[in-house]
Amino acid sequence: QVQLVESGGGLVQTGGSLRLSCAASGGTFSSYGMGWFRQAPGKERYFVAQITRVGGTYYADSVKGRFTISRDSAKNTVYLQMNSLKPEDTAVYYCAAASITTRASSGYAYWGQGTQVTVSS
C-alpha cells in the first residue's frame, strides 16, 4: 500500500511560480510512474504530467513549457515545478502512482489527498 502526501500549494499571482511536492511511503517508489492531475470546481480530474520509472516525462498540452515534473528517488518524492501560472491553472492538484505509463486517471492505483493551487488575476 502506497501513501502519498502532497504539499506546496497556495495562492499566487498570475505569472508566479509554485513547486508542489509529493512524498511517497509504504511501497517501492522506483516501481511506480508518478503523475500529477488537477481538478477545478465542477470539472473532471485532468492529467497534468507524468514521470516514468526511468525518468521519461509527459505533459498535457496546456502546461507544456511551463510545468516540469521530476523525481528524487533518494527522498521518495516527486515534484511539479509550475512557472508562468495562469488563473486557469487554479485547481486542486493530486499526486498519483501507477505501474504503467498512462494519462488516464483509471490507470493510477494510489492517490494523495490533493493540494489547492489558486492563481489570482
Side-chain angles (χ1 to χ4, degrees), residues 3 19 26 28 37 56 70 75 82 84 87 89 92:
Q3 291 82 43
R19 188 177 80 155
T28 304
F37 289 75
S70 61
K75 296 182 179 180
M82 306 186 294
S84 302
D89 295 317
V92 177

Side-chain angles (χ1 to χ4, degrees), residues 4-75:
L4 303 172
V5 179
E6 303 98 333
S7 61
L11 174 64
V12 64
Q13 291 184 335
T14 297
S17 298
L18 283 174
R19 188 177 80 155
L20 305 183
S21 300
C22 173
S25 62
T28 304
F29 183 70
S30 59
S31 298
Y32 295 96
M34 301 299 296
W36 287 96
F37 289 75
R38 65 187 182 187
Q39 187 169 19
K43 296 189 176 181
E44 296 180 4
R45 191 171 297 187
Y46 290 105
F47 171 82
V48 174
Q50 186 192 31
I51 186 165
T52 69
R53 290 172 291 177
V54 296
T57 57
Y58 302 88
Y59 297 94
D61 288 343
S62 59
V63 306
K64 201 171 294 183
R66 299 188 298 123
F67 290 11
T68 302
I69 189 170
S70 61
R71 65 191 296 162
D72 184 336
S73 295
K75 296 182 179 180

